[in-house]
Amino acid sequence: CGMVKSLIRHLGIRWLPEAGGCILVGVLGYVILQHMPHVQFAFDGDMFLRIMVPPIVFEAAVKINKSSFKRHVIPICIFAIVGTLASTAFTAFILYKGTKMFSFVTTIPLKESMIFGALISSIDPIAVLSVLNNMGISDTDTLYMLIFGESLLNDGVAIVVFETLLHFLDESLVIDSEVMGDAFMHFVVVALGSVAVGALSGACATVYFSLMHGCQTPMVEVIMFCCWSFIPYYICDMVEWSGIVAIVANGFVMDLYVIGQKHHQQHSNNSTSLDDEIEFLVNGTGRRSSQGRCGRIFNYEGHLSQKADAHVHFVIEIFATLMETAIFAYLGLFLFSPRYHWSIYLTLISILATVLGRVLMIPLLSYVANFFNRLTRGRRDSAATSALSNNGIEGVHIDRRMQLVLVFAGLRGAMSFALVEHIPMYDTTTGQGSRFKPELKAMTSASVIFTLFVLGGATSYLMEKLGYSIGKQQNDNMELTPLVPQEKRRSPHTKRNGVFNMANGKSRSTVRQRGAR
């Protein structure tokens, strides 16, 4: 897989995402194993969710730029929470009506349609990051933050919705207002409880590293950091809450207080204090005049030694890269399992429902996000607006071009595949489970293949068609610039917020700047 990813990058194969290359390696392994006698293998969903996923999600939560996340928090939360629920409903409705329309096609019941809508609404952060990194989008760009932030939070919401809907796979269950109320309370308790477990675990890790500062070698610090990172996941797994939500919350807290935010301040070109850069996590906007004992522990200076701080990102990135490579190869092994019930019509309607669900959701919620943006701007006085503008945290406007890219960036991956494996088969004794699991597995595989290979492969071409091109700087770092020249006049903070292509003395704006217009 590493060789295939390197070749894709070296040869500049834009139509094949790196994740797709790893899947093809897994498919090749499946073909080889099928011709080997006495070899049996099956997908292990528990190994996938408990071993492979945590390092990837935690690394993504640590990696995401916190000050940029704050700037985009409203549209990210709208897409990740409301968008997941809306996409689930749209996808389920299209699938249910589409399969009910013709008598010669297996009709997918409403319960199974809702479950499919929930599991296929999970946007895979691994696949999304693979595409974004290949395109060289900066981690502070509006487009990057919207796509990455949504995929990071969306997984936890989709899993909670999926697990809530699984309780309805019971023939003896009568769905009424009381049952719906219980399901809603289950969703709220799991979501908030998982966030609390993750935040509390991060706080405990901060206290631990604060007390042990100077007492551990850098290697032990890195090892203990990795141990603390996975604790909330397995706590939530034991109580049947969402480990994904918990590990995201834990990653945010540990990045802010254990690693610290010194590196963000070093790269800032203005005189704004570090507390002001991430003031969304602090009560008030001014600098604290004094710090108590709690303030000395929970500050943005971090509690790792200089050597450990320099290596911890590298270590967790290695684990995440190994796991994401293994995940897509593992996914390819089972993508065309003979246990699936394939149907051309079900395949087409599932792909259509998956794509249309996002096509309907993105413009609708973009309008809502833009409305909140205008509402927020209208309530600011001129002094506050000037201060926010100087700090680069002005509102975000999602135009039609960005909406189109967001639709294409809705890549499904191994998370959807793992969730469909957790649907229980129908039990004639208890009346629980689903009779349509083989069909749902085939539909999920078809949707994953289409979004990864078709939408993921077409994303770079779409960006170029919309006026963006991919260029390289002298240091071989990818840079995203528009093809259409922009006006020369720029605000004083433009250079700080964007990446410029200085070839031939011409400055060009980034996706983030164009999206803000």
Side-chain angles (χ1 to χ4, degrees), residues 33-34 36-43 334 339:
L33 291 175
Q34 282 292 100
M36 296 180 64
H38 311 297
V39 176
Q40 295 182 353
F41 54 94
F43 185 86
F334 306 99
R339 298 178 181 178

Side-chain angles (χ1 to χ4, degrees), residues 92-110:
F93 178 80
I94 296 171
L95 178 63
Y96 176 67
K97 291 296 183 180
T99 56
K100 193 177 181 181
M101 191 178 301
F102 302 101
S103 59
F104 60 88
V105 178
T106 302
T107 301
I108 304 298
L110 184 59

Side-chain angles (χ1 to χ4, degrees), residues 24-57:
L24 293 179
V25 173
V27 172
L28 178 61
Y30 168 77
V31 173
I32 295 174
L33 291 175
Q34 282 292 100
H35 292 82
M36 296 180 64
H38 311 297
V39 176
Q40 295 182 353
F41 54 94
F43 185 86
D44 190 342
D46 290 334
M47 183 188 74
F48 174 85
L49 289 175
R50 295 175 181 173
I51 297 178
M52 293 183 171
V53 170
I56 299 168
V57 176

Side-chain angles (χ1 to χ4, degrees), residues 156-167:
V157 178
I159 291 174
V160 175
V161 174
F162 172 80
E163 293 177 346
T164 301
L165 293 173
L166 284 183
H167 292 86

